Amino acid sequence: VQPIGPSPVIIHKADLEKVGVAWHETAKALKTDPHAEGKLGWVIEMWGYAIASAAVGLRHKLFDDFQVEPGALSSKRQLDRFTERYWILHYTYQFEYYLDATPCRPWMIGEYSLDKRHFSDAYPPRPLPLPPAGANVAAFWLVNAINEGMQNISEWPIPDRKGKPMGARVAGQSVYGRRRAPWFGRHDNGFKTEMKIMPLIAGLIGSKWSCKDSGAFTLDLLDGGDARHSLKGGNFRWASMNNPEIAKHCPIGACFYLDGGGFAADVHAVQAGGVSTQLVGYDDRMRDEPALFTCDKAA
């Protein structure tokens, strides 16, 4: 059995016809075998192709550098002569970085998060921001390639100034602000990690605030990333939001998100002497609008 996928393969039609039925039957047999399903998982139909090819005598010519699958954690060896060495870039792994270009460990969402899964149901906004200075060569190559493609599609949809799509759905966020994903906040790499490494978050845990918008309410920022709004209940989440695109009103290192009650807010924690003394919240979807609410530390 050859180490093939077929991801990718260039194949003659006659050879595909030769292996097609065997591939289908082999993949189906593997998928319906609980032991095989447990061992092979989501690549099970790829194993089906490799096994079926061996069974029908179809041999492939292998190229060591035919394809590369880079990410933020790519090794120096994989990145060596990156722009001239490979034939195909398979965009599958994420480029997850902190803003200082430190790569994130697996199962992290970076402060800079280049992941195709963010745009499964919406167009990426054009252009995508470049990676942090110091990110690897593959990250820069990929972003530049995506931006070049988008720039040369004249019909690419563009949101209006409030993020409202014009003709098609455009993602409201680019590669920043993705850490507010609901699943990530409750993951061990989410809020639990932030409270250990981010002074802003550690200092706000357990704080209580007296707030006002069109009325008055109290806000409790709880451990674990939960928050309680006195008028809208406890189904709120909060965590850090270091996003250069909103730094004008929510500076890096002094910003967190607060999601719930039908809105997504970016909250500037105004500090004096290293202590947060006031909160100013803005609607993330209407970034040029006045503040949604302001809060003072509760007595």
Side-chain angles (χ1 to χ4, degrees):
V1 176
Q2 293 181 288
I4 50 181
S7 176
V9 64
I10 298 174
I11 189 170
H12 289 285
K13 181 180 178 181
D15 289 328
L16 184 57
E17 291 173 340
K18 179 180 179 180
V19 73
V21 173
W23 179 13
H24 176 262
E25 294 300 326
T26 303
K28 186 167 65 174
L30 291 171
K31 184 66 177 177
T32 54
D33 182 315
H35 180 71
E37 167 75 3
K39 289 289 186 180
L40 302 178
W42 67 274
V43 295
I44 203 164
E45 54 85 19
M46 301 181 192
W47 276 102
Y49 179 86
I51 294 169
S53 295
V56 301
L58 183 64
R59 301 294 295 173
H60 298 70
K61 183 177 181 180
L62 305 180
F63 293 87
D64 288 341
D65 293 332
F66 190 37
Q67 173 179 274
V68 64
E69 298 179 346
L73 296 171
S74 288
S75 65
K76 290 183 179 180
R77 181 178 179 277
Q78 186 183 53
L79 297 172
D80 182 48
R81 298 186 299 110
F82 179 83
T83 58
E84 58 192 69
R85 175 177 163 192
Y86 300 104
W87 296 33
I88 296 173
L89 186 150
H90 180 190
Y91 176 27
T92 183
Y93 294 120
Q94 303 95 315
F95 290 84
E96 308 287 356
Y97 287 100
Y98 289 102
L99 294 184
D100 65 1
T102 300
C104 298
R105 62 178 182 267
W107 294 104
M108 285 284 282
I109 298 179
E111 293 172 330
Y112 180 96
S113 178
L114 179 62
D115 183 348
K116 63 184 181 182
R117 296 155 191 85
H118 295 326
F119 307 110
S120 297
D121 61 351
Y123 285 82
R126 182 180 70 180
L128 291 176
L130 291 175
N136 69 38
V137 63
F140 282 95
W141 189 95
L142 181 57
V143 174
N144 283 323
I146 293 171
N147 284 340
E148 179 182 348
M150 291 192 293
Q151 189 61 40
N152 284 282
I153 299 174
S154 58
E155 298 83 10
W156 197 269
I158 301 173
D160 66 14
R161 61 180 290 271
K162 293 184 179 179
K164 183 179 179 181
M166 298 175 64
R169 183 165 182 264
V170 180
Q173 295 168 298
S174 63
V175 293
Y176 297 114
R178 294 292 180 172
R179 295 168 67 88
R180 73 196 314 151
W183 71 266
F184 181 67
R186 298 190 183 280
H187 193 278
D188 284 348
N189 290 338
F191 194 88
K192 290 181 181 179
T193 297
E194 291 191 356
M195 61 186 290
K196 297 176 183 176
I197 67 174
M198 297 184 178
L200 175 71
I201 301 303
L204 286 172
I205 292 174
S207 61
K208 299 178 182 293
W209 300 85
S210 298
C211 309
K212 57 184 178 181
D213 45 20
S214 56
F217 63 94
T218 60
L219 178 67
D220 296 349
L221 300 178
L222 307 175
D223 196 359
D226 291 311
R228 184 181 299 113
H229 188 297
S230 62
L231 299 181
K232 298 182 179 180
N235 296 321
F236 280 72
R237 295 289 297 171
W238 71 287
S240 70
M241 180 49 58
N242 290 327
N243 180 349
E245 294 177 332
I246 61 173
K248 179 176 67 174
H249 64 254
C250 208
I252 292 170
C255 183
F256 65 91
Y257 71 81
L258 179 69
D259 290 358
F263 67 84
D266 304 313
V267 184
H268 177 197
V270 181
Q271 297 186 316
V275 177
S276 297
T277 58
Q278 186 182 48
L279 305 181
V280 185
Y282 300 86
D283 190 331
D284 182 66
R285 293 163 295 190
M286 302 175 69
R287 295 177 178 177
D288 293 332
E289 299 297 310
L292 278 177
F293 60 84
T294 59
C295 306
D296 293 314
K297 207 73 171 286

